[in-house]
PDB file of all heavy atoms in Angstrom:
ATOM      1  N   ARG A  87      17.750  48.878   6.401  1.00 98.00           N
ATOM      2  CA  ARG A  87      18.826  48.371   7.220  1.00 98.00           C
ATOM      3  C   ARG A  87      18.202  47.368   8.219  1.00 98.00           C
ATOM      4  O   ARG A  87      17.005  47.350   8.393  1.00 98.00           O
ATOM      5  CB  ARG A  87      19.429  49.384   8.147  1.00 98.00           C
ATOM      6  CG  ARG A  87      19.967  50.583   7.399  1.00 98.00           C
ATOM      7  CD  ARG A  87      20.311  51.842   8.355  1.00 98.00           C
ATOM      8  NE  ARG A  87      20.864  52.972   7.601  1.00 98.00           N
ATOM      9  CZ  ARG A  87      21.023  54.147   8.188  1.00 98.00           C
ATOM     10  NH1 ARG A  87      20.627  54.320   9.488  1.00 98.00           N
ATOM     11  NH2 ARG A  87      21.483  55.170   7.516  1.00 98.00           N
ATOM     12  N   ALA A  88      19.053  46.463   8.744  1.00 97.00           N
ATOM     13  CA  ALA A  88      18.571  45.379   9.664  1.00 97.00           C
ATOM     14  C   ALA A  88      17.696  45.997  10.773  1.00 97.00           C
ATOM     15  O   ALA A  88      16.718  45.466  11.215  1.00 97.00           O
ATOM     16  CB  ALA A  88      19.646  44.551  10.100  1.00 97.00           C
ATOM     17  N   GLU A  89      18.171  47.148  11.227  1.00 97.00           N
ATOM     18  CA  GLU A  89      17.475  47.831  12.356  1.00 97.00           C
ATOM     19  C   GLU A  89      16.142  48.382  12.000  1.00 97.00           C
ATOM     20  O   GLU A  89      15.427  48.844  12.940  1.00 97.00           O
ATOM     21  CB  GLU A  89      18.422  48.863  13.076  1.00 97.00           C
ATOM     22  CG  GLU A  89      18.920  49.902  12.056  1.00 97.00           C
ATOM     23  CD  GLU A  89      20.314  49.500  11.517  1.00 97.00           C
ATOM     24  OE1 GLU A  89      20.612  48.317  11.389  1.00 97.00           O
ATOM     25  OE2 GLU A  89      21.177  50.487  11.381  1.00 97.00           O
ATOM     26  N   ASP A  90      15.752  48.350  10.785  1.00 98.00           N
ATOM     27  CA  ASP A  90      14.439  48.811  10.416  1.00 98.00           C
ATOM     28  C   ASP A  90      13.408  47.652  10.544  1.00 98.00           C
ATOM     29  O   ASP A  90      12.200  47.931  10.375  1.00 98.00           O
ATOM     30  CB  ASP A  90      14.435  49.322   8.936  1.00 98.00           C
ATOM     31  CG  ASP A  90      15.282  50.543   8.762  1.00 98.00           C
ATOM     32  OD1 ASP A  90      15.252  51.454   9.636  1.00 98.00           O
ATOM     33  OD2 ASP A  90      15.975  50.627   7.669  1.00 98.00           O
ATOM     34  N   THR A  91      13.875  46.497  10.839  1.00 98.00           N
ATOM     35  CA  THR A  91      12.984  45.376  11.123  1.00 98.00           C
ATOM     36  C   THR A  91      12.081  45.630  12.232  1.00 98.00           C
ATOM     37  O   THR A  91      12.419  46.022  13.349  1.00 98.00           O
ATOM     38  CB  THR A  91      13.713  44.121  11.421  1.00 98.00           C
ATOM     39  OG1 THR A  91      14.500  43.757  10.192  1.00 98.00           O
ATOM     40  CG2 THR A  91      12.794  42.931  11.769  1.00 98.00           C
ATOM     41  N   ALA A  92      10.745  45.617  11.985  1.00 97.00           N
ATOM     42  CA  ALA A  92       9.754  45.997  12.965  1.00 97.00           C
ATOM     43  C   ALA A  92       8.353  45.799  12.372  1.00 97.00           C
ATOM     44  O   ALA A  92       8.131  45.601  11.201  1.00 97.00           O
ATOM     45  CB  ALA A  92       9.878  47.480  13.327  1.00 97.00           C
ATOM     46  N   VAL A  93       7.314  45.845  13.307  1.00 97.00           N
ATOM     47  CA  VAL A  93       6.020  46.018  12.788  1.00 97.00           C
ATOM     48  C   VAL A  93       5.728  47.464  12.739  1.00 97.00           C
ATOM     49  O   VAL A  93       6.100  48.271  13.598  1.00 97.00           O
ATOM     50  CB  VAL A  93       5.023  45.443  13.899  1.00 97.00           C
ATOM     51  CG1 VAL A  93       3.514  45.698  13.485  1.00 97.00           C
ATOM     52  CG2 VAL A  93       5.193  43.919  14.040  1.00 97.00           C
ATOM     53  N   TYR A  94       5.169  47.896  11.530  1.00 98.00           N
ATOM     54  CA  TYR A  94       4.990  49.339  11.305  1.00 98.00           C
ATOM     55  C   TYR A  94       3.463  49.603  11.318  1.00 98.00           C
ATOM     56  O   TYR A  94       2.562  48.862  10.708  1.00 98.00           O
ATOM     57  CB  TYR A  94       5.466  49.659   9.898  1.00 98.00           C
ATOM     58  CG  TYR A  94       6.882  49.814   9.821  1.00 98.00           C
ATOM     59  CD1 TYR A  94       7.773  48.711   9.895  1.00 98.00           C
ATOM     60  CD2 TYR A  94       7.618  51.070   9.823  1.00 98.00           C
ATOM     61  CE1 TYR A  94       9.184  48.847   9.858  1.00 98.00           C
ATOM     62  CE2 TYR A  94       8.931  51.274   9.781  1.00 98.00           C
ATOM     63  CZ  TYR A  94       9.715  50.064   9.822  1.00 98.00           C
ATOM     64  OH  TYR A  94      11.140  50.164   9.852  1.00 98.00           O
ATOM     65  N   TYR A  95       3.089  50.564  12.179  1.00 98.00           N
ATOM     66  CA  TYR A  95       1.686  51.061  12.417  1.00 98.00           C
ATOM     67  C   TYR A  95       1.420  52.305  11.675  1.00 98.00           C
ATOM     68  O   TYR A  95       2.323  53.225  11.968  1.00 98.00           O
ATOM     69  CB  TYR A  95       1.352  51.048  13.794  1.00 98.00           C
ATOM     70  CG  TYR A  95       1.431  49.749  14.617  1.00 98.00           C
ATOM     71  CD1 TYR A  95       2.616  49.462  15.351  1.00 98.00           C
ATOM     72  CD2 TYR A  95       0.414  48.826  14.627  1.00 98.00           C
ATOM     73  CE1 TYR A  95       2.643  48.336  16.141  1.00 98.00           C
ATOM     74  CE2 TYR A  95       0.418  47.705  15.349  1.00 98.00           C
ATOM     75  CZ  TYR A  95       1.575  47.453  16.138  1.00 98.00           C
ATOM     76  OH  TYR A  95       1.644  46.270  16.891  1.00 98.00           O
ATOM     77  N   CYS A  96       0.356  52.551  11.140  1.00 98.00           N
ATOM     78  CA  CYS A  96      -0.106  53.824  10.829  1.00 98.00           C
ATOM     79  C   CYS A  96      -0.998  54.280  11.928  1.00 98.00           C
ATOM     80  O   CYS A  96      -1.778  53.359  12.526  1.00 98.00           O
ATOM     81  CB  CYS A  96      -0.745  53.953   9.469  1.00 98.00           C
ATOM     82  SG  CYS A  96      -2.223  53.073   9.163  1.00 98.00           S
ATOM     83  N   ALA A  97      -1.135  55.467  12.263  1.00 98.00           N
ATOM     84  CA  ALA A  97      -1.927  55.942  13.437  1.00 98.00           C
ATOM     85  C   ALA A  97      -2.482  57.337  13.145  1.00 98.00           C
ATOM     86  O   ALA A  97      -1.784  58.240  12.724  1.00 98.00           O
ATOM     87  CB  ALA A  97      -1.074  55.932  14.677  1.00 98.00           C
ATOM     88  N   ARG A  98      -3.769  57.520  13.540  1.00 97.00           N
ATOM     89  CA  ARG A  98      -4.398  58.842  13.347  1.00 97.00           C
ATOM     90  C   ARG A  98      -4.118  59.697  14.595  1.00 97.00           C
ATOM     91  O   ARG A  98      -4.172  59.220  15.725  1.00 97.00           O
ATOM     92  CB  ARG A  98      -5.889  58.627  13.236  1.00 97.00           C
ATOM     93  CG  ARG A  98      -6.661  59.818  12.946  1.00 97.00           C
ATOM     94  CD  ARG A  98      -8.140  59.656  12.865  1.00 97.00           C
ATOM     95  NE  ARG A  98      -8.762  59.596  14.158  1.00 97.00           N
ATOM     96  CZ  ARG A  98     -10.137  59.520  14.330  1.00 97.00           C
ATOM     97  NH1 ARG A  98     -10.943  59.564  13.343  1.00 97.00           N
ATOM     98  NH2 ARG A  98     -10.658  59.541  15.597  1.00 97.00           N
ATOM     99  N   ASP A  99      -3.871  60.999  14.323  1.00 96.00           N
ATOM    100  CA  ASP A  99      -3.700  61.916  15.410  1.00 96.00           C
ATOM    101  C   ASP A  99      -4.943  62.717  15.650  1.00 96.00           C
ATOM    102  O   ASP A  99      -5.404  63.485  14.740  1.00 96.00           O
ATOM    103  CB  ASP A  99      -2.502  62.886  14.910  1.00 96.00           C
ATOM    104  CG  ASP A  99      -2.016  63.850  16.012  1.00 96.00           C
ATOM    105  OD1 ASP A  99      -2.819  64.120  16.909  1.00 96.00           O
ATOM    106  OD2 ASP A  99      -0.865  64.231  16.008  1.00 96.00           O
ATOM    107  N   ARG A 100      -5.565  62.599  16.801  1.00 92.00           N
ATOM    108  CA  ARG A 100      -6.801  63.216  17.086  1.00 92.00           C
ATOM    109  C   ARG A 100      -6.536  64.650  17.487  1.00 92.00           C
ATOM    110  O   ARG A 100      -7.474  65.445  17.481  1.00 92.00           O
ATOM    111  CB  ARG A 100      -7.583  62.548  18.195  1.00 92.00           C
ATOM    112  CG  ARG A 100      -6.908  62.457  19.535  1.00 92.00           C
ATOM    113  CD  ARG A 100      -7.784  61.996  20.684  1.00 92.00           C
ATOM    114  NE  ARG A 100      -8.864  62.933  20.871  1.00 92.00           N
ATOM    115  CZ  ARG A 100     -10.038  62.682  21.519  1.00 92.00           C
ATOM    116  NH1 ARG A 100     -10.307  61.423  21.925  1.00 92.00           N
ATOM    117  NH2 ARG A 100     -10.973  63.626  21.714  1.00 92.00           N
ATOM    118  N   ALA A 101      -5.419  65.064  17.866  1.00 87.00           N
ATOM    119  CA  ALA A 101      -4.957  66.373  18.176  1.00 87.00           C
ATOM    120  C   ALA A 101      -3.885  66.258  19.389  1.00 87.00           C
ATOM    121  O   ALA A 101      -4.029  65.245  20.059  1.00 87.00           O
ATOM    122  CB  ALA A 101      -6.098  67.215  18.663  1.00 87.00           C
ATOM    123  N   PHE A 102      -3.136  67.166  19.468  1.00 87.00           N
ATOM    124  CA  PHE A 102      -2.052  67.232  20.558  1.00 87.00           C
ATOM    125  C   PHE A 102      -1.335  65.894  20.572  1.00 87.00           C
ATOM    126  O   PHE A 102      -0.969  65.403  21.661  1.00 87.00           O
ATOM    127  CB  PHE A 102      -2.719  67.432  21.942  1.00 87.00           C
ATOM    128  CG  PHE A 102      -3.463  68.765  22.008  1.00 87.00           C
ATOM    129  CD1 PHE A 102      -4.750  68.972  21.910  1.00 87.00           C
ATOM    130  CD2 PHE A 102      -2.665  69.893  22.335  1.00 87.00           C
ATOM    131  CE1 PHE A 102      -5.401  70.133  21.932  1.00 87.00           C
ATOM    132  CE2 PHE A 102      -3.297  71.162  22.443  1.00 87.00           C
ATOM    133  CZ  PHE A 102      -4.623  71.291  22.275  1.00 87.00           C
ATOM    134  N   ASP A 103      -1.039  65.434  19.365  1.00 88.00           N
ATOM    135  CA  ASP A 103      -0.184  64.219  19.239  1.00 88.00           C
ATOM    136  C   ASP A 103      -0.717  62.948  19.827  1.00 88.00           C
ATOM    137  O   ASP A 103      -0.010  62.033  20.154  1.00 88.00           O
ATOM    138  CB  ASP A 103       1.227  64.477  19.710  1.00 88.00           C
ATOM    139  CG  ASP A 103       1.787  65.793  19.212  1.00 88.00           C
ATOM    140  OD1 ASP A 103       1.777  65.996  18.035  1.00 88.00           O
ATOM    141  OD2 ASP A 103       2.175  66.561  20.068  1.00 88.00           O
ATOM    142  N   ALA A 104      -2.026  62.885  20.092  1.00 94.00           N
ATOM    143  CA  ALA A 104      -2.687  61.724  20.698  1.00 94.00           C
ATOM    144  C   ALA A 104      -3.109  60.869  19.572  1.00 94.00           C
ATOM    145  O   ALA A 104      -3.960  61.204  18.769  1.00 94.00           O
ATOM    146  CB  ALA A 104      -3.888  62.160  21.546  1.00 94.00           C
ATOM    147  N   LEU A 105      -2.504  59.648  19.503  1.00 97.00           N
ATOM    148  CA  LEU A 105      -2.733  58.742  18.413  1.00 97.00           C
ATOM    149  C   LEU A 105      -3.918  57.803  18.832  1.00 97.00           C
ATOM    150  O   LEU A 105      -3.664  56.853  19.619  1.00 97.00           O
ATOM    151  CB  LEU A 105      -1.430  57.991  18.082  1.00 97.00           C
ATOM    152  CG  LEU A 105      -0.268  58.855  17.782  1.00 97.00           C
ATOM    153  CD1 LEU A 105       0.962  58.000  17.475  1.00 97.00           C
ATOM    154  CD2 LEU A 105      -0.532  59.891  16.783  1.00 97.00           C
ATOM    155  N   ASP A 106      -5.094  58.163  18.296  1.00 96.00           N
ATOM    156  CA  ASP A 106      -6.293  57.394  18.927  1.00 96.00           C
ATOM    157  C   ASP A 106      -6.681  56.268  18.003  1.00 96.00           C
ATOM    158  O   ASP A 106      -7.462  55.385  18.565  1.00 96.00           O
ATOM    159  CB  ASP A 106      -7.426  58.431  19.027  1.00 96.00           C
ATOM    160  CG  ASP A 106      -7.944  59.037  17.738  1.00 96.00           C
ATOM    161  OD1 ASP A 106      -7.196  59.035  16.665  1.00 96.00           O
ATOM    162  OD2 ASP A 106      -9.144  59.446  17.753  1.00 96.00           O
TER     163      ASP A 106
END
Side-chain angles (χ1 to χ4, degrees):
Chain A
R87 305 168 180 169
E89 54 264 37
D90 295 320
T91 294
V93 175
Y94 285 74
Y95 297 98
C96 63
R98 186 182 83 169
D99 188 333
R100 65 170 289 163
F102 296 99
D103 311 308
L105 308 183
D106 66 336

